[in-house]
Amino acid sequence: MTSVWEGDQFPVSWRVTSTEGVVDLDGADLELTATPLSGGPAVALECTAVGDVVTHVLTGTLAVGFYGVVLGVTRDGKRVTYPDAKAGSLPLTVKDRP
C-alpha cells in the first residue's frame, strides 16, 4: 500500500511483476491510472519506467481518497494490465493533512 498526504509532490514508484516474474517495461507504451474506490472516473497519471519499475511524480492534485492503481502495458499490439484482475489494483491512499 502507498499512502501520501494531500498536496504531496514527489515521485512514487511501484515494481511491476506477474506470475511469470519481472515485467520489463522498457520500450512499451504505458498507461497508469488511479480509480477512486468510492466511484468516479479514473485519473490518468503520467509515468516513466526503467526496467520493471514504473514511477509517477505526484503533482499535488489528487483529491483525498482511496484509489486503485493499475498499469496498462502495450507492446507489439498486445495490451496487458498489471496487476492482473485476480490480484486486483494496487492501493493508493491520499490522506488529509493533519
Side-chain angles (χ1 to χ4, degrees):
M1 174 190 282
T2 302
S3 294
V4 299
W5 294 109
E6 179 182 27
D8 277 354
Q9 297 178 351
F10 61 86
V12 292
S13 298
W14 296 274
R15 174 158 276 124
V16 180
T17 60
S18 75
T19 56
E20 298 170 3
V22 173
V23 177
D24 182 11
L25 301 171
D26 292 332
D29 291 324
L30 307 174
E31 182 181 27
L32 187 67
T33 57
T35 302
L37 298 181
S38 61
V43 178
L45 304 176
E46 289 188 32
C47 67
T48 58
V50 175
D52 65 338
V53 176
V54 63
T55 299
H56 164 68
V57 178
L58 293 166
T59 61
T61 59
L62 271 179
V64 170
F66 300 100
Y67 296 85
V69 177
V70 297
L71 178 67
V73 178
T74 304
R75 184 188 320 266
D76 301 326
K78 293 182 180 178
R79 181 181 167 92
V80 179
T81 302
Y82 298 97
D84 65 20
K86 183 177 180 181
S89 57
L90 299 169
L92 171 63
T93 303
V94 179
K95 297 181 177 183
D96 273 319
R97 285 211 173 267

